[in-house]
Amino acid sequence: MGTTATPAFSADTLRRGVEGHSAADLLSLYADDAQIRIVDRNTQPSKPKILRGREEIGALLEDIFSRDMTHKVDQCVVEGDHAAYSQSCRYSDGTRVQTESMITLRDGRITDELLIQAWDE
């Protein structure tokens, strides 16, 4: 019985997951024990929203990718066990969202992500 290898994190795999509008593809880049800390107008730096584990992260990604919007990775830099990327999104009504993420990797998987996001009011 063969096993299917999950892709390791790279700028290309990130871009395919984000721009391919696939929660499952993007979720495959996260470790089982991954954590995302989200800072935005509703969850300030002193009390970020924290998602722990693939189940909580997967629910967020499913919600995001269920929306009528486009996603584009603007830049991604990978250096050793760290990465950073910026993403621009646009809802069908023209509302824009910009995100910046700092990532820690372990064995080619995301273990920690700090995501800062801002959107049109």
Side-chain angles (χ1 to χ4, degrees):
M1 179 173 170
T3 59
T4 303
T6 305
F9 185 91
S10 71
D12 289 335
T13 57
L14 175 71
R15 186 175 312 278
R16 281 193 301 275
V18 168
E19 295 177 5
H21 212 75
S22 169
D25 288 348
L26 193 54
L27 184 60
S28 73
L29 299 178
Y30 288 85
D32 290 340
D33 61 344
Q35 168 180 286
I36 297 178
R37 292 169 291 139
I38 301 171
V39 175
D40 57 28
R41 68 177 177 166
N42 298 322
T43 56
Q44 301 294 306
S46 61
K47 296 198 187 292
K49 179 176 184 173
I50 300 175
L51 303 174
R52 292 182 175 90
R54 289 172 49 94
E55 185 174 332
E56 289 183 12
I57 294 168
L60 171 71
L61 296 176
E62 288 290 339
D63 175 50
I64 291 169
F65 287 124
S66 72
R67 301 174 190 178
D68 187 12
M69 63 191 305
T70 60
H71 308 269
K72 180 179 185 296
V73 174
D74 299 313
Q75 296 181 4
C76 181
V77 177
V78 181
E79 181 67 34
D81 60 356
H82 292 91
Y85 74 96
S86 61
Q87 179 181 174
S88 54
C89 307
R90 184 179 176 137
Y91 283 89
S92 61
D93 69 0
T95 301
R96 294 181 181 267
V97 181
Q98 184 69 41
T99 70
E100 303 290 329
S101 289
M102 291 295 298
I103 293 172
T104 302
L105 302 165
R106 181 184 67 232
D107 300 326
R109 298 285 174 269
I110 299 168
T111 58
D112 186 68
E113 180 174 358
L114 171 60
L115 184 148
I116 300 172
Q117 61 183 358
W119 57 91
D120 290 341
E121 298 286 328

